[in-house]
Every structure is written in C-alpha cells, then in structure tokens.
Amino acid sequence: MKVTTEKNEKVANMIFGTIYPLYLDRLEKNGRTKEELDQVIKWFTGYSQETLDALINEKVTYRTFFKKAKIHKNAHMIKGVVCGYRIEEIEDEFEVYKQCRQIEKLIDELAKGRKMEKILRKEKK
C-alpha cells in the first residue's frame, strides 16, 4: 500500500494520549504490562518516564510526539508489515507515518510475546 499526504497528515494530527490506552489494553489482554509498553516507547523515542507521562497528559499530536523525540539509532532495523504497510517501503517524506508504524510494530511484537531483548533492536557485532 502507498502512503498519501492525506494519510500522513491524519496520523500526524492524532492525539498520542488517546491512542496510548488502546495500546495498553491490547497488551494487557495478552499478559503484558504498562511498564513493558513504556519501556518499548522510551527505547524508541529516548524519552524519560516523566517526559512520556507529561506528553500523554498534554495530549500532544503524533507530530509533536515524534518531533520532540530522539528516535533510537537502531529504529531502521524495525521492519515488517503493519496495517498493510511494509515499514521499510514507506517513503522518508512521510516520516511521522513511518515512525507511527514502527512503534506499532514494536507493540505488535510485545503483544505476540516476543522477548524484550529481540524487540529492542541491537546492532550485531
């Protein structure tokens, strides 16, 4: 599937704090915890727990959420299909959309029971 400017803008303007509880619900139904969800998000964004909590409470958009983040240097290692979109094929001009799909891929892996050390990608030595 192809990402469009309209699709990118729609996602960019969504409120992260309204989606976060949906992520959490999904994970808790699969036996995972809020701490694990936060760990994955903090790894991806570089946020502290205090900053993550503040951004959720401030109801920032995904655009602001990702703009303030220091995306992990290994984020390029997040590959696969989420919602019909192959992450590695999403064009750079749709950065917010790509980052949203990357974080969702990490959450999918967590929900499916993947080990945390596999989810938090590391360069092979």
Side-chain angles (χ1 to χ4, degrees):
M1 292 172 72
K2 245 10 210 151
V3 180
T4 62
T5 303
E6 294 77 25
K7 188 77 139 169
N8 189 64
E9 282 304 302
K10 184 177 179 182
V11 169
N13 291 316
M14 288 170 43
I15 305 297
F16 179 78
T18 61
I19 305 302
Y20 179 87
L22 303 175
Y23 291 153
L24 184 56
D25 268 0
R26 176 169 182 229
L27 291 174
E28 288 178 338
K29 286 178 188 169
N30 287 288
R32 301 311 283 252
T33 65
K34 178 185 184 308
E35 289 73 25
E36 290 172 309
L37 171 59
D38 289 353
Q39 182 181 357
V40 166
I41 294 171
K42 291 184 300 186
W43 174 86
F44 185 72
T45 61
Y47 290 139
S48 66
Q49 188 65 52
E50 296 75 29
T51 302
L52 176 59
D53 292 342
L55 291 171
I56 291 168
N57 292 332
E58 288 170 25
K59 302 211 179 313
V60 298
T61 61
Y62 269 101
R63 175 179 283 118
T64 301
F65 184 78
F66 289 126
K67 187 183 280 186
K68 292 181 177 211
K70 184 180 181 316
I71 302 299
H72 197 280
K73 65 182 174 58
N74 291 344
H76 69 278
M77 298 170 72
I78 303 167
K79 297 180 175 105
V81 178
V82 178
C83 298
Y85 293 89
R86 181 157 288 286
I87 293 170
E88 57 271 31
E89 293 176 1
I90 299 172
E91 293 96 358
D92 292 341
E93 67 183 290
F94 304 122
E95 184 178 41
V96 172
Y97 194 84
K98 185 173 194 167
Q99 290 168 338
C100 182
R101 293 299 175 215
Q102 286 173 315
I103 212 165
E104 288 173 358
K105 180 68 173 171
L106 298 175
I107 292 166
D108 279 353
E109 291 174 356
L110 192 57
K112 291 176 181 169
R114 194 165 194 209
K115 291 185 180 346
M116 192 62 80
E117 57 268 13
K118 296 269 190 197
I119 296 170
L120 309 180
R121 273 89 170 152
K122 291 186 176 120
E123 296 283 352
K124 293 194 171 118
K125 304 223 179 208

